[in-house]
Amino acid sequence: MTASTELLTVPQVMERLQLGRTAVYDLLRTRQLPSITLGRARRIPAHSLTDFIRTHLEQEAV
């Protein structure tokens, strides 16, 4: 699986963003962080997480 198609679990995103489970699920619920649902599992494309971080860094620089 390439980096562009890598799918992350919620715990992986929690670790990378240093956020709790509730905060990550809030980002998913409000669609600030796109995800897909496979059965009952939520997966976050790695590129979506990268885009999310880049967007927030750009907003903070303004």
Side-chain angles (χ1 to χ4, degrees), residues 2-32:
T2 65
S4 63
T5 58
E6 181 183 9
L7 297 174
L8 304 171
T9 64
V10 169
Q12 289 172 317
V13 173
M14 289 168 52
E15 182 177 324
R16 291 180 188 199
L17 293 178
Q18 294 295 295
L19 292 174
R21 180 175 300 276
T22 302
V24 172
Y25 275 106
D26 283 345
L27 293 172
L28 297 173
R29 183 180 47 78
T30 59
R31 300 189 189 275
Q32 294 179 63

Side-chain angles (χ1 to χ4, degrees), residues 2-3 10 13 19 22 36 40-41 45 48-49 51 55 57 59-60:
T2 65
V10 169
V13 173
L19 292 174
T22 302
I36 61 172
R40 294 181 62 202
S48 294
L49 181 58
D51 292 346
T55 298
L57 286 172
Q59 288 175 354
E60 298 237 347

